[in-house]
Amino acid sequence: MESETEKKPLTVEEAKKVICPYALFEGKTFGEMLETEAGYRQLQWFANEYRGSDFKMKEAAQLLLESCEQKAA
């Protein structure tokens, strides 16, 4: 049985709706960022290097990158 403190994992669709709050991609969704090489590289940074307090951004970036890799395989 799931407790109240356990959060449901993000879906790919939810991850695409996460808004980037930083720099070049400020205000863009992660889904929009996936459409450009620079955006993809920024998502890789969020997935691997981001150390901020918004764990949802890191989780969303990791999920989207995994999803892309699975489609490419």
Side-chain angles (χ1 to χ4, degrees):
M1 192 156 130
E2 217 175 286
S3 74
E4 291 290 323
T5 55
E6 285 184 64
K7 60 182 178 52
K8 290 189 340 200
L10 282 176
T11 66
V12 171
E13 287 309 307
E14 288 169 336
K16 284 182 180 178
K17 293 176 185 165
V18 172
I19 305 287
C20 180
Y22 299 117
L24 186 60
F25 297 98
E26 185 174 355
K28 298 269 190 227
T29 66
F30 278 16
E32 290 172 315
M33 289 168 63
L34 272 179
E35 295 170 11
T36 67
E37 182 65 33
Y40 188 84
R41 284 197 304 270
Q42 184 66 52
L43 288 173
Q44 288 176 314
W45 182 87
F46 276 121
N48 300 310
E49 306 295 329
Y50 179 72
R51 299 287 181 259
S53 60
D54 189 347
F55 298 114
K56 185 177 180 182
M57 286 201 310
K58 186 174 183 91
E59 181 184 359
Q62 288 170 337
L63 180 66
L64 289 174
L65 293 173
E66 286 169 18
S67 172
C68 287
E69 287 166 12
Q70 287 171 357
K71 285 180 189 166

